[in-house]
Amino acid sequence: LRWLRPAVGLLALAWVLVAARAVQRFELLESWRFTGQLLCLIGIVLALLGAPEARVRLRQRALALLLLAGVAVSVLGSGDNLEALGSRKQIQVWGAYHYYLGAKYFDELGYDGLYNETLRAGRELGIPRLDAVKRVRDLRTYQTVDAAPIRAADRGPEWTDARWAEFKADLRWFTRGAGKSFWPNVLLDRGYNASPTWHAIGHALTSELSIRSPAGRLILVLLDPALLLLAFALSVPAFGVARSAFVLFAAVSWFGNSGRILGQFWIYDWLAASWAAASLWRLGRPRWAGALAGYAAAVRIFPVLLLAGPVLLAGSALLRRRRPDPAVVRVLQGACAAMLLAFVAGSLASHRGPAMWLDFTERITHHSEEHTYGAKRVGLGHALSLNLRGGLAELPSKENNRAHVAENRPLQRALQLAAGLLFVLAVLRARSADVLLLGLPLLYFGTVASRYDGSIWVLLLLLGVARGGGRPDAPARADDARTSEPAPAGDARWFERPLARRLADAALFACGWLVFANPKECEEGIRAYVLGNVALGAWLFGILAREALWGWGDEPARRSPEPGPPLRAPGIGRLGTSAPQEQPHARDDRQPHVDELPRE
């Protein structure tokens, strides 16, 4: 009956998809705000589950089914329409317009020319939707200007006739089907802001896969789901099926990811790489973990915070004139190698060569400065751009927010300093399985990010649960490798989590619920993000404080005085100590476990 379990699993998957399709058919999830609230409430319930006396195996299966249903409903109900796959509607035009055309025609457009050349091509093609655009954003200054003089000008000198014809054909495809009010808003966005490394990949994809081809469109929109599923598959042996499925559910239901998981291309490579890096680090593959973290940093910059913990540990060891932990050295070696290769690839992807990195630095700096004051952002700077004295009595707007940033600067600096100190303490006392993740909260305190960039914080759900990952009949390769008694399976331990861990898991979904539940009554929906952004900051601050003061880990597995198997990888116990290499002969019963060794 070996075929029975896979068959039951396929039937369960089919049931979930049919049920989700039925819900969609009866239009119960037409409102993305209602859908978001529903998914967040499901996440809260799942996070709070815990009844160690009940039957574990039955609850594992029920949990897996619930998580699978949550992922399916989230993808179907949050703006991602599975039934559109293979059709023209599978592409989310707004984002794909910027990054498909920006990547394919960067040599002609650069970072600043997309909107100008769109207007000129639209004039030649006679597209009414583009003729309706009266104001356009100047991508050099971010000011809005009159579109008429730009539309009347000739195309740029960089174009050849063949490339111009290809650009117009692609633009004609994008402008079909959208309403007249759509393009006036699109051309007020902020253009193409990809790093040179991302551009190298994006240019290769857009050059080979035409947006006008049904097969090309289908491949493009399936790239991101495939990357996330690969990261999930790698996470299972590291953290267990239940925890990995929980992270996947949190990612697809994150309030900033609505309508993005399907419909765009290669925008979640950094999230998949970051998740895979955390898994490989847990599995005792530090160089590969570092390489993926380095790639994520090269394409999106902020994932470099994955390396903040290892850098701190290496620096601390060197200051004390100690040899850094070998695993820390290897993860940094892998990251440096990957970033060097990424730099070379980005430099070769454009006629600008290495100078493209200077263009990108100038561009992204200006973009980040303007980013702080708008809507749909996450970060301390955005939360403190409000009038703290007047609260919500004063309607938030970009102009009002600018006025309050300087006023709230002392509080911002104090909170940043406190978060930095907690980060240092947390890294120095954390188990190594958690050290790659502890830098991620610094994104909130250090800058203002787009709402979907904040989805990297779902990886914090992996904190403190690295023990017990993998098969129930084999010890974990890192923390529990020296115990002769196998650790509990990761899925079984789901129901035995400490209350603090369950509350922290639930709090992340509660932050999302606050975003979905708030009214959208003022400029660009800024108010809808007020309470959710503040609550998110409190959650991240609490994550660092808990790790720094008490630790997040589940109770360690019982240890046996009998000698265990030799280590197959560098010991990953508590970083800050270098675990001695295990000898093939039996060790003395009085020798302490790696987690009990005194700190250097």
Side-chain angles (χ1 to χ4, degrees):
L1 298 179
R2 292 181 179 178
W3 55 270
L4 184 58
R5 288 185 181 179
V8 171
L10 289 175
L11 288 173
L13 175 61
W15 176 84
V16 169
L17 293 177
V18 170
R21 181 67 184 92
V23 171
Q24 186 188 41
R25 172 67 180 82
F26 290 106
E27 299 182 353
L28 296 178
L29 301 177
E30 285 299 309
S31 169
W32 70 273
R33 288 186 171 275
F34 172 77
T35 304
Q37 293 180 60
L38 176 62
L39 293 171
C40 288
L41 291 174
I42 292 173
I44 291 172
V45 171
L46 293 175
L48 294 175
L49 286 179
E53 300 301 325
R55 293 181 61 190
V56 171
R57 186 176 299 275
L58 179 61
R59 286 182 293 117
Q60 283 178 219
R61 293 172 180 172
L63 176 65
L65 184 61
L66 286 172
L67 289 168
L68 183 62
V71 171
V73 171
S74 179
V75 172
L76 284 170
S78 61
D80 300 306
N81 195 350
L82 284 176
E83 68 181 11
L85 286 178
S87 70
R88 178 185 179 83
K89 295 181 180 180
Q90 66 187 337
I91 292 291
Q92 300 286 342
V93 172
W94 191 304
Y97 158 78
H98 286 94
Y99 279 82
Y100 183 89
L101 296 181
K104 187 173 182 178
Y105 300 102
F106 183 84
D107 285 342
E108 292 83 6
L109 299 173
Y111 282 118
D112 304 326
L114 177 60
Y115 295 166
N116 294 351
E117 299 304 306
T118 293
L119 291 174
R120 293 160 188 165
R123 182 201 68 206
E124 293 187 13
L125 292 169
I127 300 175
R129 295 177 179 85
L130 293 178
D131 292 340
V133 176
K134 304 302 181 184
R135 304 286 293 178
V136 64
R137 189 176 300 278
D138 185 335
L139 294 177
R140 297 181 182 86
T141 64
Y142 276 20
Q143 301 298 312
T144 59
V145 296
D146 186 8
I150 298 173
R151 183 184 289 112
D154 295 331
R155 75 189 191 197
E158 298 84 3
W159 294 101
T160 65
D161 290 342
R163 290 283 286 176
W164 182 245
E166 180 79 3
F167 176 74
K168 290 195 295 183
D170 286 339
L171 182 63
R172 182 183 290 277
W173 185 91
F174 275 107
T175 53
R176 289 176 180 172
K180 291 184 178 180
S181 63
F182 180 77
W183 285 98
N185 288 321
V186 171
L187 298 190
L188 293 176
D189 206 333
R190 290 172 176 80
Y192 177 68
N193 300 295
S195 71
T197 301
W198 190 97
H199 172 71
I201 300 170
H203 182 72
L205 291 173
T206 55
S207 297
E208 297 298 327
L209 300 170
S210 173
I211 198 72
R212 289 171 280 143
S213 163
R217 292 195 297 271
L218 181 61
I219 294 173
L220 286 173
V221 300
L222 290 179
L223 289 175
D224 281 336
L227 290 175
L228 291 175
L229 288 176
L230 287 173
F232 166 76
L234 190 58
S235 175
V236 168
F239 300 103
V241 177
R243 177 57 58 171
S244 300
F246 192 56
V247 172
L248 181 61
F249 172 63
V252 298
S253 59
W254 176 260
F255 60 86
N257 290 343
S258 179
R260 295 178 183 270
I261 302 298
L262 286 173
Q264 300 189 46
F265 70 98
W266 213 258
I267 64 169
Y268 287 109
D269 55 326
W270 56 272
L271 178 58
S274 301
W275 189 1
S279 300
L280 287 169
W281 172 254
R282 171 64 185 90
L283 293 171
R285 296 287 186 264
R287 284 198 180 94
W288 283 107
L292 285 171
Y295 167 81
V299 293
R300 291 304 288 260
I301 309 302
F302 66 85
V304 74
L305 293 171
L306 288 165
L307 303 172
V311 168
L312 175 62
L313 290 173
S316 174
L318 292 175
L319 287 175
R320 291 179 295 147
R321 299 182 179 180
R322 304 277 188 175
R323 182 181 178 183
D325 188 284
V328 170
V329 174
R330 289 170 185 154
V331 77
L332 295 178
Q333 287 173 343
C336 290
M339 286 190 282
L340 178 60
L341 290 175
F343 175 82
V344 173
S347 300
L348 297 176
S350 166
H351 68 282
R352 289 281 291 158
M356 185 180 177
W357 285 98
L358 297 177
D359 297 340
F360 170 70
T361 302
E362 180 181 355
R363 173 81 178 177
I364 205 64
T365 301
H366 179 58
H367 181 75
S368 297
E369 291 173 354
E370 295 294 324
H371 213 48
T372 302
Y373 310 106
K376 301 176 183 178
R377 308 286 188 262
V378 289
L380 181 63
H382 186 266
L384 294 182
S385 64
L386 302 175
N387 183 357
L388 298 182
R389 297 177 181 175
L392 297 182
E394 175 186 292
L395 287 180
S397 68
K398 291 182 180 180
E399 290 70 21
N400 293 338
N401 290 353
R402 286 180 187 274
H404 299 312
V405 167
E407 178 183 343
N408 297 329
R409 190 77 68 187
L411 177 59
Q412 181 179 359
R413 293 289 181 254
L415 291 173
Q416 287 174 332
L417 178 61
L421 292 175
L422 288 176
F423 163 73
V424 172
L425 292 174
V427 170
L428 293 179
R429 65 172 288 121
R431 289 198 306 256
S432 70
D434 294 341
V435 77
L436 243 65
L437 300 173
L438 288 173
L440 298 181
L442 299 181
L443 172 64
Y444 180 93
F445 296 100
T447 187
V448 174
S450 296
R451 52 180 175 164
Y452 61 92
D453 291 338
S455 59
I456 199 171
W457 293 321
V458 304
L459 299 183
L460 294 174
L461 296 173
L462 300 173
L463 279 175
V465 294
R467 285 183 186 271
R471 305 194 325 264
D473 59 344
R477 293 187 52 185
D479 291 346
D480 297 322
R482 295 176 183 241
T483 64
S484 60
E485 182 175 335
D491 294 344
R493 299 195 68 162
W494 176 279
F495 301 97
E496 301 172 1
R497 293 164 299 150
L499 179 60
R501 175 73 268 178
R502 280 182 268 157
L503 291 175
D505 292 347
L508 176 61
F509 287 91
C511 294
W513 183 85
L514 286 172
V515 174
F516 287 117
N518 270 273
K520 188 177 182 180
E521 298 174 352
C522 55
E523 181 183 355
E524 292 189 334
I526 295 177
R527 174 176 289 184
Y529 281 74
V530 172
L531 291 179
N533 206 4
V534 172
L536 194 58
W539 181 75
L540 292 167
F541 197 89
I543 289 287
L544 288 176
R546 176 74 191 190
E547 184 70 76
L549 302 177
W550 296 284
W552 275 111
D554 295 334
E555 291 298 321
R558 289 186 295 121
R559 300 189 179 99
S560 169
E562 299 298 326
L567 287 177
R568 295 169 55 193
I572 304 184
R574 288 186 183 275
L575 285 182
T577 66
S578 294
Q581 294 297 319
E582 184 72 14
Q583 301 299 322
H585 56 76
R587 59 191 173 109
D588 191 296
D589 289 351
R590 294 170 296 174
Q591 182 178 352
H593 184 270
V594 62
D595 280 349
E596 299 167 347
L597 291 173
R599 300 180 187 277
E600 293 181 0

